């Protein structure tokens, strides 16, 4: 029923939230159904999606609130999260460390982003899910201890502002300009959080590497593509 309500509202004008996120019926529609939505006779296709997006953006999130991470650790973090190779990256490394699978470890990341207390984080899960929560904590303590402590101490350092709200702002600062670039080229992007959808006939018209643009922003490097 919820999906039907979103479908009948697809033509409603989307609205921007204070953090720059675009809220629309398409955003609310579940991913498996989005591929059946058409724009001017063409189905929409996901042109770009960042795996583990808010974790990939952590360098900018920390920078925005003045949290400093040692250069060696943040460099290793960028190398891990900015890979474009399949079956590599943060999900796979944590899964490998914990002796589990990407699909089983992935759901742990969302609550882990807002971790305040390790024990509470672990025991908030059902018994059969606790082991994966233990493993993600062990991975971060071993491989990225400064980032782990920054996540744990967030609520002490940053008063009245959740990490997710800052992450949403950073996400918008990254994705919205890319959508502007695509529009300036005459394309029709649809933003869904950190993902960008395009009509299938426009995918091949993108003349720049969208993911590289995202990584350039996170790394403080200049864009390789400028809006005309």
């Amino acid at each position: 029923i919820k999906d039907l309500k979103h479908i009948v509202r697809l033509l409603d004008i989307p609205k921007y939230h204070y953090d720059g996120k675009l809220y629309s019926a398409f955003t609310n529609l579940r991913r498996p159904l989005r591929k059946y939505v058409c724009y001017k006779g063409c189905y929409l296709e996901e042109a770009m999606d960042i795996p583990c997006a808010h974790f990939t953006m952590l360098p900018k999130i920390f920078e925005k609130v003045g949290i400093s991470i040692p250069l060696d650790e943040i460099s290793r973090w960028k190398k891990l999260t900015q890979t474009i190779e399949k079956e590599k990256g943060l999900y796979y490394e944590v899964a490998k460390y914990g002796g589990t699978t990407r699909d089983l470890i992935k759901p742990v990341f969302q609550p882990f982003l807002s971790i305040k207390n390790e024990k509470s984080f672990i025991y908030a899960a059902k018994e059969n899910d606790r082991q994966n929560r233990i493993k993600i904590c062990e991975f971060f303590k071993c491989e990225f201890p400064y980032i782990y402590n920054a996540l744990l101490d967030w609520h002490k350092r940053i008063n009245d502002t959740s990490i997710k709200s800052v992450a949403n702002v950073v996400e918008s600062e990254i994705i919205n300009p890319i959508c502007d670039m695509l529009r300036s080229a005459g394309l029709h992007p649809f933003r869904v959080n950190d993902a960008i959808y395009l009509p299938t006939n426009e995918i091949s018209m993108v003349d720049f590497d969208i993911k590289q643009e995202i990584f350039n922003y996170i790394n403080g490097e200049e864009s390789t593509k400028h809006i005309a």
Side-chain angles (χ1 to χ4, degrees):
I1 296 298
K2 286 184 179 179
D3 289 325
L4 289 175
K5 288 180 179 178
H6 297 319
I7 288 170
V8 299
R9 291 183 51 249
L10 281 173
L11 295 180
D12 290 359
I13 297 174
K15 296 180 180 179
Y16 280 98
H17 199 241
Y18 71 90
D19 56 13
K21 292 186 76 169
L22 190 64
Y23 287 85
S24 68
F26 184 68
T27 306
N28 294 327
L29 201 60
R30 288 183 299 151
R31 178 174 289 199
L33 295 177
R34 291 174 191 156
K35 62 183 179 181
Y36 297 108
V37 178
C38 289
Y39 178 78
K40 293 187 177 180
C42 289
Y43 289 111
L44 296 179
E45 181 179 336
E46 194 173 273
M48 187 284 307
D49 177 48
I50 312 170
C52 218
H54 285 170
F55 285 88
T56 299
M57 297 173 188
L58 273 182
K60 275 295 178 185
I61 294 170
F62 289 154
E63 180 184 302
K64 199 167 190 68
V65 296
I67 292 176
S68 179
I69 304 295
L71 181 59
D72 172 68
E73 184 164 317
I74 207 70
S75 297
R76 289 190 294 106
W77 180 259
K78 289 177 180 178
K79 184 177 181 180
L80 175 60
T81 57
Q82 294 180 17
T83 180
I84 58 174
E85 296 182 48
K86 290 185 177 180
E87 300 194 3
K88 284 193 176 182
L90 186 58
Y91 287 143
Y92 288 100
E93 286 301 311
V94 176
K96 185 169 67 175
Y97 181 91
T100 184
T101 66
R102 177 188 183 276
D103 290 341
L104 288 176
I105 205 71
K106 184 177 177 181
V108 179
F109 275 81
Q110 185 172 358
F112 180 72
L113 184 67
S114 300
I115 188 172
K116 294 179 181 178
N117 176 279
E118 183 178 309
K119 188 174 180 179
S120 298
F121 167 73
I122 292 170
Y123 285 96
K126 294 180 180 178
E127 190 171 350
N128 59 338
D129 292 329
R130 286 177 190 163
Q131 196 60 32
N132 285 331
R133 293 197 176 206
I134 291 171
K135 291 301 181 183
I136 194 173
C137 290
E138 289 178 350
F139 174 84
F140 272 80
K141 282 190 286 187
C142 177
E143 300 294 334
F144 299 99
Y146 285 94
I147 290 176
Y148 183 63
N149 286 326
L151 294 175
L152 277 173
D153 294 342
W154 178 280
H155 66 292
K156 298 175 184 175
R157 300 189 196 189
I158 316 300
N159 295 325
D160 303 323
T161 306
S162 72
I163 189 170
K164 286 186 178 179
S165 65
V166 177
N168 288 338
V169 171
V170 170
E171 182 184 277
S172 296
E173 290 174 350
I174 295 173
I175 304 299
N176 287 350
I178 290 175
C179 289
D180 290 340
M181 292 178 192
L182 294 168
R183 291 189 193 96
S184 74
L187 306 182
H188 303 86
F190 290 76
R191 178 190 164 190
V192 182
N193 301 321
D194 60 279
I196 296 175
Y197 285 73
L198 285 168
T200 51
N201 65 327
E202 294 183 1
I203 294 288
S204 61
M205 299 179 188
V206 179
D207 62 353
F208 63 97
D209 188 328
I210 297 177
K211 277 192 176 180
Q212 191 57 54
E213 283 297 315
I214 291 168
F215 298 155
N216 286 348
Y217 180 88
I218 293 170
N219 299 334
E221 298 171 0
E222 285 193 14
S223 170
T224 58
K225 174 76 177 178
H226 299 282
I227 300 175

